[in-house]
Amino acid sequence: MRYAETKPPVLTLTAGPVDAYPEVLRALGTTVLYDYDPAFQAFFEDVARKAQAVLGTDTPPLILQGEPVLGLEAAAASLIAKDDVVLNLASGVYGKGFGYWAARYAKELREIEVPYNEAIDPESVRSFLAENPDVKVVSVCHHDTPSGTINDINAIGGIVADAGALLIVDAVSSFGGIDVSPADCKAAIFVTGPNKCLGCPPSLSLVAVSDAGWEKIEANPDAPFASMLSLKDWRHAWKKTEAFPFTPSVAEINGLNAALDLYLAEGDRAVWARHALTAAVCRAGITGMGLEIWAAREEIASPTTTSVKMPEGIDAAPVLAETRARYGVSLSAGRAETLGKLVRVGHMGPTAQPAYALVAAAALGGALKALGADVDVGAGLAAAQAYWDQAIG
Ligand SMILES: *Cc1c(COP(=O)(O)O)cnc(C)c1O
């Protein structure tokens, strides 16, 4: 029996979008209120306050009605002025990609780039900023999803703050799965979204802006307003007494509310531990069967995505096709520079469960074996389960 491509897979264990929590799906199907109904205005403020609690910020984040690429592009458009020099930190496809937006708004873009299985060395940022005191804005991706690698944004944030520059952080695929917050990395703008670790469908951006960030945006004559790319428009929209610049995505706010309730009920530490354990079980399975993790070092391997290097001479595309057709398990390919070279298993929101890591490792190992790779699937699964068992205690 093979699983047909025309039907949904049995399990979606991708690096985002993820299969949403059932509670979120049910909430998406609830009443769509008129946005100026007082019940919706109060509800919107309530959801914004919950998002604030989850992000640990002084004011509610902006909730933009587009998946997080909107938040990232709006951050570049709003914060970066025509006379700004921007330093972009690129350790992967998303980090590199932010530089293209930054360059569109900046006077000049400078870059520190490292191989896409590596992380940015915070000390390289310190010396770069010492030699380039004209840099006003620094941008970094926390978890570069197509590589499954993590940058030390708290260290980078401290260095950027010491240099008097402002930091834009893409934490889209890490927030809600890892201990990370706008305050800890001193971000001027911190962009995330509910469609990765919070377990919602792709739909919204959550954007936290610091006081220093707002000061720069308000002083930027080119910051967009009356525009889908505007952060300014939404600054006060969370208050039930304020008008919305445009119609908010009512159904998606219902879904986000359910996701935030789940997160708050489980508790952040428990959520992070669940993601970390799932990734560790997955890595134990992968290395136990003789495969290699893409990340150069285990310390920089993401707790929300495991990227697996393809063995010499094997392209990722037929492996992914086989994983899906043979076992009904959908995994992710790489992107751009990492395309073909790796396969990614997502551990995000509802799929951050060790049982899914075992299934993913079994499916990936089985598919590789079927394609002639030298992998010991049984040894990998035994190692994964042993890791899980010792963690249970
Ligand atoms: C998912 C993701 C985004 C949003 O981009 P899409 O490619 O549209 O999904 C942005 N940044 C990172 C790091 C992401 O993982």
Side-chain angles (χ1 to χ4, degrees), residues 69-86 97-109 137 168 216 220-224 227-230:
V69 159
L70 173 64
L72 291 168
E73 192 176 350
S78 298
L79 193 76
I80 301 170
K82 276 196 187 89
D83 54 356
D84 284 343
V85 175
V86 176
F98 189 84
Y100 301 126
W101 288 317
R104 194 181 295 164
Y105 300 100
K107 180 175 89 178
E108 197 190 320
L109 184 81
V137 173
I168 298 175
K216 174 125 172 57
N220 178 7
D222 304 311
S227 159
M228 289 299 276
L229 282 183
S230 174

Side-chain angles (χ1 to χ4, degrees), residues 15-17 67-70 72 93-95 101 141-146 170-174 191-193 195-196 202 305 335 344 348:
E67 67 97 27
V69 159
L70 173 64
L72 291 168
V93 175
Y94 279 101
W101 288 317
C141 181
H142 182 211
H143 169 216
D144 216 304
T145 331
D170 172 349
V172 175
S173 60
S174 54
V191 179
T192 188
N195 54 313
K196 302 277 169 78
T305 296
R335 292 273 176 276
R344 294 180 295 155
M348 295 177 175

Side-chain angles (χ1 to χ4, degrees), residues 222-278:
D222 304 311
F225 60 95
S227 159
M228 289 299 276
L229 282 183
S230 174
L231 297 184
K232 270 162 88 165
D233 289 353
W234 287 91
R235 182 168 184 181
H236 303 291
W238 58 271
K239 293 179 195 160
K240 59 177 178 271
T241 49
E242 294 281 328
F244 295 114
F246 307 105
T247 306
S249 304
V250 175
E252 306 295 349
I253 302 297
N254 291 336
L256 174 61
N257 181 54
L260 294 171
D261 281 344
L262 285 172
Y263 188 89
L264 290 166
E266 187 175 354
D268 51 12
R269 277 166 206 286
V271 173
W272 302 332
R274 179 162 60 78
H275 284 78
L277 174 62
T278 306

Side-chain angles (χ1 to χ4, degrees), residues 2 317-329 363 366-368 370-371:
R2 307 269 292 177
V319 178
L320 288 164
E322 194 62 19
T323 305
R324 197 185 183 289
R326 187 175 263 270
Y327 304 107
V329 176
L368 277 163
L371 293 168

Side-chain angles (χ1 to χ4, degrees), residues 104-388:
R104 194 181 295 164
Y105 300 100
K107 180 175 89 178
E108 197 190 320
L109 184 81
R110 296 178 197 155
E111 204 152 57
I112 298 177
E113 191 170 1
V114 296
Y116 288 4
N117 63 342
E118 266 295 348
I120 300 287
D121 175 5
E123 288 311 312
S124 72
V125 180
R126 191 192 301 283
S127 41
F128 193 98
L129 291 175
E131 284 156 26
N132 294 263
D134 54 342
V135 169
K136 287 270 175 38
V137 173
V138 178
S139 45
V140 67
C141 181
H142 182 211
H143 169 216
D144 216 304
T145 331
S147 300
T149 50
I150 296 281
N151 280 311
D152 185 352
I153 55 166
N154 291 349
I156 292 169
I159 289 164
V160 171
D162 288 347
L166 295 180
L167 183 68
I168 298 175
V169 173
D170 172 349
V172 175
S173 60
S174 54
F175 182 77
I178 309 178
D179 182 3
V180 60
S181 76
D184 287 347
C185 64
K186 300 185 163 69
I189 303 186
F190 183 96
V191 179
T192 188
N195 54 313
K196 302 277 169 78
C197 300
L198 292 176
C200 289
S203 56
L204 301 172
S205 297
L206 298 175
V207 184
V209 185
S210 73
D211 290 346
W214 279 124
E215 215 173 287
K216 174 125 172 57
I217 292 169
E218 298 289 357
N220 178 7
D222 304 311
F225 60 95
S227 159
M228 289 299 276
L229 282 183
S230 174
L231 297 184
K232 270 162 88 165
D233 289 353
W234 287 91
R235 182 168 184 181
H236 303 291
W238 58 271
K239 293 179 195 160
K240 59 177 178 271
T241 49
E242 294 281 328
F244 295 114
F246 307 105
T247 306
S249 304
V250 175
E252 306 295 349
I253 302 297
N254 291 336
L256 174 61
N257 181 54
L260 294 171
D261 281 344
L262 285 172
Y263 188 89
L264 290 166
E266 187 175 354
D268 51 12
R269 277 166 206 286
V271 173
W272 302 332
R274 179 162 60 78
H275 284 78
L277 174 62
T278 306
V281 167
C282 193
R283 290 196 298 271
I286 294 305
T287 54
M289 64 181 74
L291 295 167
E292 274 179 63
I293 302 300
W294 174 262
R297 285 161 284 124
E298 179 145 19
E299 313 89 83
I300 62 167
S302 171
T304 73
T305 296
T306 297
S307 289
V308 183
K309 201 194 249 181
M310 287 299 95
E312 201 59 41
I314 296 189
D315 186 83
V319 178
L320 288 164
E322 194 62 19
T323 305
R324 197 185 183 289
R326 187 175 263 270
Y327 304 107
V329 176
S330 180
L331 304 175
S332 291
R335 292 273 176 276
E337 281 81 353
T338 66
L339 186 68
K341 298 176 190 156
L342 54 82
V343 164
R344 294 180 295 155
V345 182
H347 325 292
M348 295 177 175
T351 61
Q353 292 290 353
Y356 289 133
L358 279 175
V359 173
L364 179 55
L368 277 163
K369 198 168 173 200
L371 293 168
D374 179 22
V375 285
D376 187 342
V377 183
L381 294 182
Q385 189 158 25
Y387 189 97
W388 188 4

